[in-house]
Amino acid sequence: KQFPYGVSYCLNGFGESFLNKDIWKIISYIKEKRPYANVMTHTNGMLCKPEVNEKLINSGMDYIYFIII
């Protein structure tokens, strides 16, 4: 609670973020605990199918960066 505002969480590591089966729980947890925090990730977009896109829209994710190589 020391920094309730202005904190960003970048959900990246090694590989595609959306391969993590708990990604939606993680986003929800962050937004519940830190509603003013920014949540972001990077993706190549290969897993962005209609059902994933719908979850993204409703998840509370603030920024999604699409990487084009």
Side-chain angles (χ1 to χ4, degrees), residues 23-63:
I23 190 74
W24 312 113
K25 291 178 188 176
I26 294 167
I27 296 166
S28 294
Y29 180 82
I30 294 169
K31 286 307 214 175
E32 177 185 322
K33 299 295 181 186
R34 304 277 190 191
Y36 297 104
N38 289 318
V39 179
M40 63 188 83
T41 194
H42 299 83
T43 181
N44 62 15
M46 296 294 288
L47 298 175
C48 290
K49 308 291 187 234
E51 59 275 4
V52 172
N53 296 343
E54 187 69 31
K55 286 181 179 181
L56 274 173
I57 291 168
N58 296 318
S59 71
M61 180 82 69
D62 295 295
Y63 299 98

Side-chain angles (χ1 to χ4, degrees), residues 13-29:
F14 298 99
E16 176 63 45
S17 300
F18 299 117
L19 288 175
N20 183 335
K21 63 181 176 63
D22 294 322
I23 190 74
W24 312 113
K25 291 178 188 176
I26 294 167
I27 296 166
S28 294
Y29 180 82

